[in-house]
Amino acid sequence: MAIRSCLPVPALSVERIQFLLNLIVYKAEFFLRASTGRGIDDISPGLVQGPVPVGATLAVLDNDTRRIIEELGLTSVGHMRAISEFTQLNAPIPRPVLNLSAEVFTAFANAALNVSTLTPPFNVYASTTNFLVAATFVSSLLQQYYAGLIPSTVGSVQQRLVAGIALSEAAGYGVLRAQLYPRVNQTVSPYTFTLGRLFNLITELINRLGGCGVKDEGLTVPLQLGAENQTTSNVVPADVNSLAYPRTERELLRIVFGTGNATRPGAIFPAGFNGTLFRRIVLQRLA
Ligand SMILES: *[C@@H]1O[C@H](CO)[C@@H](O)[C@H](O)[C@H]1NC(C)=O
Ligand SMILES: *[C@@H]1O[C@H](CO)[C@@H](O)[C@H](O)[C@H]1NC(C)=O
Ligand SMILES: *[C@@H]1O[C@H](CO)[C@@H](O)[C@H](O)[C@H]1NC(C)=O
Ligand SMILES: *[C@@H]1O[C@H](CO)[C@@H](O)[C@H](O)[C@H]1NC(C)=O
Ligand SMILES: *[C@@H]1O[C@H](CO)[C@@H](O)[C@H](O)[C@H]1NC(C)=O
Ligand SMILES: *[C@@H]1O[C@H](CO)[C@@H](O)[C@H](O)[C@H]1NC(C)=O
Ligand SMILES: *[C@@H]1O[C@H](CO)[C@@H](O)[C@H](O)[C@H]1NC(C)=O
């Protein structure tokens, strides 16, 4: 099997931030529409421009979770505004084609469980637990991108911007995992598997799609993978020194496209990403 490159593609800091915007727009639309039924255009008219996401639905969430998801969606709108104010990536920020249909996540769940279909199909919008699983993976990808982006960012304004956004995202990511951790032994209704097992299988799928080793981890792990080899809880996943795992552009694309191929769009981003870095990845066939 070919070894897929795990090195970052050479790019300017501003190109990486432009790449990042695709993910932030996605997170904001997904979180806001699922928690409140409103999108970025309702919160901050004129901030983004481009096709309205398809397939979004209000999720069935308990009240605390709804507030948390709404807040984290709103913070992403702030992050976009900060980028448009402090870089040359001025508003309106182009919104990529986004497919937020339940079926897109059903396909990820089926692939993770290695079944052609679950009965009934997994519906990300059907419960607090289901939605938290998807939300956690979205936040994970952003947090991992920041871990790679921070050391490569040039310019003090851009460094401050990226650090501020990254720390906000990392905090939100921890909050989401902390919501899931106490539910790890719960059965995911109406199926027979537990949340912990579903979560583990999705992390394995994501690691397979990314193609660059184990960077997503379950909510509980064997002792040898826990912090200082002394705990099986894994609320904050990290490497052997408890440092966050970085992911590059190509790993992220392979994952969010669901194809394991950074030049073959699909799933959440059926038309690919906006921006020069993604175009270069496609032109240079950096799958
Ligand atoms: C959740 O919020 C709704 C609407 O604000 C309210 O009617 C309901 O009582 C709340 N449920 C709980 C358990 O607090
Ligand atoms: C890029 O953004 C524009 C809106 O400015 C949108 O019409 C277009 O479809 C986007 N391209 C991709 C690949 O999503
Ligand atoms: C969104 O995904 C669903 C399920 O895979 C698919 O049927 C639909 O055609 C997609 N829509 C777009 C605009 O890609
Ligand atoms: C999925 O299941 C098939 C058999 O049904 C097996 O051949 C294949 O190796 C499994 N894939 C993974 C990734 O476990
Ligand atoms: C889950 O179950 C295992 C095994 O029964 C137990 O050791 C663990 O404490 C449980 N975790 C939580 C968060 O309830
Ligand atoms: C934990 O175990 C791993 C091997 O699984 C080892 O590489 C690492 O040094 C250990 N860490 C500590 C703090 O003992
Ligand atoms: C990735 O996708 C592109 C476009 O569909 C295709 O031409 C290429 O062969 C694929 N590469 C790999 C390694 O699968």
Side-chain angles (χ1 to χ4, degrees):
M1 203 172 78
I3 295 171
R4 291 180 288 176
S5 178
C6 301
L7 296 175
V9 178
L12 300 173
S13 300
V14 70
E15 291 180 308
R16 294 196 204 283
I17 296 172
Q18 185 185 39
F19 180 95
L20 166 67
L21 278 171
N22 291 273
L23 292 166
I24 303 183
V25 170
Y26 161 54
K27 182 190 160 193
E29 294 288 11
F30 183 47
F31 280 41
L32 288 171
R33 289 174 189 273
S35 62
T36 67
R38 304 192 307 154
I40 299 169
D41 295 331
D42 303 301
I43 305 294
S44 186
L47 184 58
V48 295
Q49 181 188 311
V52 173
V54 301
T57 311
L58 200 58
V60 177
L61 299 173
D62 64 43
N63 287 359
D64 288 342
T65 304
R66 191 175 304 286
R67 300 285 300 214
I68 292 170
I69 297 296
E70 178 186 10
E71 179 184 330
L72 297 181
L74 290 170
T75 62
S76 293
V77 175
H79 297 165
M80 280 183 261
R81 183 179 324 98
I83 291 171
S84 78
E85 283 177 6
F86 296 119
T87 72
Q88 66 209 65
L89 302 166
N90 300 327
I93 292 163
R95 177 167 45 200
V97 178
L98 291 173
N99 193 339
L100 307 183
S101 307
E103 289 77 18
V104 166
F105 295 95
T106 306
F108 277 108
N110 289 343
L113 291 153
N114 199 14
V115 295
S116 56
T117 179
L118 273 179
T119 318
F122 181 80
N123 181 350
V124 71
Y125 296 111
S127 74
T128 293
T129 305
N130 292 8
F131 190 80
L132 279 172
V133 169
T136 301
F137 283 108
V138 173
S139 187
S140 171
L141 292 174
L142 276 160
Q143 192 245 18
Q144 292 168 339
Y145 190 54
Y146 294 124
L149 186 58
I150 288 173
S152 76
T153 300
V154 175
S156 62
V157 171
Q158 295 185 0
Q159 282 170 353
R160 268 200 304 278
L161 176 69
V162 171
I165 296 174
L167 289 168
S168 167
E169 187 64 42
Y173 175 50
V175 167
L176 292 170
R177 285 186 71 110
Q179 301 299 307
L180 283 175
Y181 177 72
R183 303 171 205 243
V184 72
N185 290 330
Q186 282 178 14
T187 302
V188 181
S189 170
Y191 313 107
T192 53
F193 47 80
T194 62
L195 169 66
R197 177 165 160 73
L198 174 67
F199 199 90
N200 278 340
L201 290 172
I202 297 178
T203 62
E204 286 169 19
L205 171 69
I206 289 179
N207 290 327
R208 253 191 334 268
L209 288 172
C212 296
V214 173
K215 298 187 178 180
D216 274 87
E217 295 176 347
L219 298 162
T220 61
V221 287
L223 213 48
Q224 319 83 266
L225 295 177
E228 296 302 296
N229 299 348
Q230 294 191 33
T231 179
T232 59
S233 71
N234 196 38
V235 179
V236 180
D239 73 7
V240 65
N241 291 322
S242 293
L243 305 184
Y245 292 108
R247 283 197 193 273
T248 66
E249 290 83 18
R250 290 162 71 189
E251 292 173 71
L252 290 170
L253 293 171
R254 291 171 192 143
I255 295 166
V256 296
F257 291 168
T259 59
N261 179 335
T263 65
R264 187 145 63 89
I268 300 157
F269 293 89
F273 273 31
N274 254 297
T276 56
L277 181 46
F278 176 66
R279 279 205 297 280
R280 200 150 69 241
I281 287 171
V282 172
L283 282 173
Q284 297 181 4
R285 303 180 189 193
L286 302 174

